[in-house]
C-alpha cells in the first residue's frame, strides 16, 4: 500500500458493548440451575460476580471454581425472603469488593405446581415471599446503591407463566406476572437515575426446578407445545441476559424478553 492509499476503515466491534469489564454483578439463585449458569456467563463477559443463595456452601464452591478460572467471584449466603439477610449480604459484598453491584440478576425463585383449590396460605406466602417480595426488596436495595453510583442494570428473571396462564401455576404465575409489572414500574421510576430494569421470561428450561414438571408426566405434552420442539437449557438465556446487563442494551428499559423456543406464540 503506498502512502496515498486511503487508510482502511476500522470495522465496528459490536461485541465491545457486551463487555462487563469493571462491573460488579450480583446474581441471586446462584447455587443451581439458571442463576449459577448466568453468574459464570457474566464472569466470562468480564464482570466480578457475587453469587448469592441460601446454600452458602454451594455458592462459595461455584465462586471458587470461577476464581480458579481467573474471575473475581464471591459466594454469599442470602435468603431473599429475609430483609436482615439481604442487608448482611450487601455488607459482605461491599466489604469484599469495596463497592456495590452495577448489575443485579434477580434469579432466586421457587415453583409450586398445584391446583388452585388446594393452595394454602402458607403456599401463597412462601412463593410470593421469594418470587415477588424477595425480588422486590433485592431490587430496591440494589437500586438505592445504583442511584448513588450513577446507574446500573437490573434483570429480573420472571417466567412465561407470568405472561400467559398455565394450569396448576396460579400462585407461581401470579408472582411472576407481578414481577413483570413491577419491572415496568421500576423502569419508569428509575430511568432518570440511569438505572435500567428489564425482565426475562424463560420458557421450560431444564434445571432442578423443571424436574417437577417432568416428574409430573408433562414432558411429552409440553414439548409438543414448543414450536422449536425442545426444552431450553440455561445457556439459551445467556444472550438475553448479557444484552440487558451490558451497555449493548443501553436504550432498553421496561422490556420483557421472552426466551421460550416460541412456546408463547404457538398456534391455537
Ligand atoms: N427452569 C425453568 O423452566 C424456569 C422457567 C421460567 C422461569 N424460571 C425461573 O428461573 C429462576 C431460576 O430457576 P431454576 O430453574 O434455575 O431453578 P433452581 O435450580 O431450583 O434454582 C432456584 C434458585 O433459587 C434459589 N432460591 C430459592 N429460594 C431462595 C431464597 N429464599 N433466597 C435465595 N435464593 C433462593 C435456590 O437456591 P437455595 O436453595 O440455595 O437458596 C436456587 O439457587 C427462578 O426464578 C424460576 O422461577 C425457571
Amino acid at each position: 500500500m503506498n502512502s496515498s492509499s486511503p487508510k482502511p476503515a476500522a470495522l465496528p466491534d459490536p461485541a465491545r458493548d457486551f463487555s462487563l469489564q469493571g462491573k460488579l454483578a450480583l446474581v441471586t439463585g446462584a447455587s443451581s440451575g439458571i442463576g449459577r449458569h448466568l453468574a459464570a456467563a457474566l464472569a466470562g463477559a468480564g464482570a466480578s460476580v457475587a453469587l448469592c443463595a441460601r446454600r452458602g456452601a454451594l455458592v462459595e464452591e461455584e465462586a471458587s471454581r470461577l476464581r480458579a478460572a481467573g474471575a473475581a467471584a464471591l459466594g454469599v449466603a442470602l435468603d431473599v425472603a429475609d430483609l436482615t439477610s439481604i442487608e448482611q449480604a450487601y455488607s459482605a459484598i461491599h466489604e469484599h469488593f469495596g463497592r456495590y453491584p452495577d448489575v443485579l440478576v434477580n434469579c432466586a425463585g421457587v415453583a409450586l405446581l398445584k391446583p388452585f383449590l388446594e393452595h394454602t396460605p402458607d403456599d401463597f406466602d412462601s412463593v410470593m415471599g421469594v418470587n415477588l417480595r424477595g425480588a422486590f426488596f433485592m431490587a430496591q436495595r440494589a437500586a438505592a446503591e445504583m442511584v448513588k453510583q450513577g446507574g446500573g442494570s437490573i434483570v429480573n428473571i420472571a417466567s412465561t407463566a407470568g405472561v400467559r396462564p398455565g394450569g396448576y401455576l396460579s400462585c407461581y404465575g401470579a408472582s411472576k406476572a407481578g414481577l413483570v409489572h413491577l419491572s415496568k414500574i421500576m423502569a419508569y421510576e428509575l430511568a432518570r437515575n440511569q438505572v435500567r430494569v428489564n425482565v426475562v421470561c424463560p420458557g421450560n428450561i431444564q434445571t432442578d426446578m423443571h424436574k417437577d414438571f417432568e416428574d409430573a408426566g408433562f414432558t411429552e405434552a409440553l414439548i409438543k407445545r414448543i414450536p422449536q420442539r425442545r426444552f431450553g437449557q440455561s445457556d439459551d438465556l445467556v444472550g438475553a441476559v448479557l444484552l440487558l446487563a451490558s451497555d449493548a442494551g443501553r436504550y432498553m428499559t421496561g422490556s420483557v424478553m421472552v426466551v421460550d423456543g416460541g412456546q408463547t406464540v404457538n398456534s391455537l
Side-chain angles (χ1 to χ4, degrees), residues 28-35 52-56 58 78-81 106-111 130-131 157-160 172 176 201-210 213 234:
T28 68
S31 60
S32 62
I34 295 170
C52 302
R54 288 168 305 179
R55 288 170 290 174
L58 283 186
L78 162 70
D79 181 351
V80 299
N106 243 334
C107 188
V110 288
V130 176
N131 295 1
I157 306 296
S159 168
T160 47
Y172 179 78
K176 295 298 190 177
C201 291
N204 290 89
I205 308 293
Q206 286 192 293
T207 62
D208 288 353
M209 179 182 284
H210 196 263
F213 295 86
S234 296

Side-chain angles (χ1 to χ4, degrees), residues 103-132:
V103 172
L104 167 67
V105 179
N106 243 334
C107 188
V110 288
L112 183 63
L113 194 64
K114 207 173 187 182
F116 168 69
L117 290 175
E118 291 173 18
H119 273 69
T120 65
D122 281 349
D123 290 337
F124 184 93
D125 290 345
S126 62
V127 173
M128 288 291 176
V130 176
N131 295 1
L132 187 54

Side-chain angles (χ1 to χ4, degrees), residues 145-160:
E145 301 301 338
M146 288 175 183
V147 167
K148 289 185 215 153
Q149 286 185 174
S153 171
I154 296 175
V155 182
N156 289 322
I157 306 296
S159 168
T160 47

Side-chain angles (χ1 to χ4, degrees), residues 135-148:
F136 186 107
F137 287 106
M138 276 304 298
Q140 188 190 60
R141 186 67 185 84
E145 301 301 338
M146 288 175 183
V147 167
K148 289 185 215 153

